[in-house]
Amino acid sequence: MKVKSPLEVYNLLPRTNCKECGYDTCMSFAAHILDRSAKVIQCKPLVEQSEKDPKAKSKLEKLLDITAPEIAEIVIGSGDSAVKVGGEEVLHRHELTFFNPTAFFYDVWDTLDEKKIEERCEWVAKYRKFYVGKYLTLDGIAVRCTSNDPSKFGNVVKKVASYGKPMVLVTLNPDCMKAALEEVADKKPLIYAATEENWREFLRLALEYKVPVVVRSSDLDKLKSLAVTFKQAGVKEIVLDPVTEPVGEGLKRTFERVIQIRRTAIEGGDKDVAYPIMVTPISAHLINADDVTKEYWEAVIGGMFVVKYADIMIFHTLKQHVVMPTLTLRANIYTDPRTPVQVEPGLRPINDPKPEDPVFLTTNFALTYYTVESDLTSAKIRGWLLVLNTEGICVEASVAGGKFTASGVKQLIEQTKIAEKVNHKYLVIPGLAARLQGAIEDETGWKVLVGPIDSGRIKGWLEKNWPPKK
Ligand code: SF4
């Protein structure tokens, strides 16, 4: 984003404080534009004026230009399942945040047995993994043309489209790509890939079918030249593939190319390479390697480029030991460091508790909460879990920082009416909050027991300490 101060945005807005954008003032709206929680087009008065008044039109255009993300954002797919890629502002997450998680596509190919294609597509479409309060899912399916037969490729692509996931269509053959686009252009697939050899035909296809396109070359000058050619011809949605080379020196070169592209775009301000980047960790080039070695490298390369700076990846392996670590890493890299991940404070009954069961206390930092909740649930412990609002801060830091307080615990006890649900007044606090034991007892009138530091040890702790000795 070229703009650095809300005032620069504010000066281009109508400044009437009419609230139509959903914010109280134009200045507040401007501040939200800057942190990307609001979009310029939410200012309806400006959009409407721009249709009648050339001055307003030029202000709107200027606003859109100065607030556009550093890296172009493109959309693959249509409807609810469409996935956004690119749109990043910074090289390092802590400088602001990363916005659009690397999109993960998994391949099928048109010479694969029909049943196997169905199995792979279903696996991708249905995959869900619960992690820190939300389900992680896979983004789409890459359909590779290995038959070199336009009709066969077109049919397989049509079948894959029925799973409703965004698609990448993979072939260097323009005739095969055209046959596929005839079937699914309205689903807005990403077409892969335009190269030095086929770019004229792929340019025609991208323009004719209005689909995003990947340009591909390991020579960065040629890659940039392809991107410039496509842009000047009117293609707006471009992805760069600097070619993922084999493990070893090739991988090192790939890594350097990816870093160079993103640095040139963000630090150097070169808009000709400010596009999302594609990486393909498929380790098919390890032809003589066994499956386990290939899978290992796929996970390693995937992880490496989730961290720096792939916006889209095509994977091959549909096995948990490759999918799970890469997805989990992606979830962590793409959480917003400006907002601690937190859950709603309140009371959670665990395993259908009875009045005589223990009352536990934890914080609303999502990672702490889900660890405690999952430890209690999986150990089949019945109990009442009180979740204290520490603004998403973990136990140790919230005790030190004054967010985990005896008065907060008293308020929570009152709000949740836990005293009416149990027949005792014993509260088990986390081991890391031990120093608040006396203060909580004084404030609440409950007897406080200091539990273990690690919630995985609650079961053993309960065996010795529950029910409490009177
Ligand atoms: Fe200001 Fe536009 Fe929001 Fe109205 S809609 S308050 S003019 S930014």
Side-chain angles (χ1 to χ4, degrees), residues 13-27 29-30 42-46:
L13 291 169
R15 288 176 279 167
T16 58
N17 297 334
C18 71
K19 300 188 175 59
E20 275 199 56
C21 54
Y23 296 91
D24 283 344
T25 61
C26 295
M27 185 54 101
F29 179 66
Q42 280 172 252
C43 177
K44 285 199 191 119
L46 181 59

Side-chain angles (χ1 to χ4, degrees), residues 361-365 368 388-409 429-440 448 450 453:
L361 179 66
T362 189
T363 75
N364 76 327
F365 172 47
T368 304
L388 182 66
N389 185 0
T390 55
E391 299 176 18
I393 313 272
C394 66
V395 175
E396 199 169 18
S398 61
V399 169
K403 302 281 179 199
F404 192 132
T405 61
S407 59
V409 176
I429 66 170
L432 287 170
R435 68 192 229 201
L436 294 176
Q437 182 181 24
I440 296 173
V448 171
V450 177
I453 288 173

Side-chain angles (χ1 to χ4, degrees), residues 10 57 112 126 149 176 184 213 242 258 269 292 319 435 443:
Y10 174 78
K57 186 170 180 230
L112 184 65
K126 289 185 179 163
D149 174 347
C176 291
V184 299
V213 58
V258 168
V292 174
K319 289 184 181 164
R435 68 192 229 201
E443 190 81 32

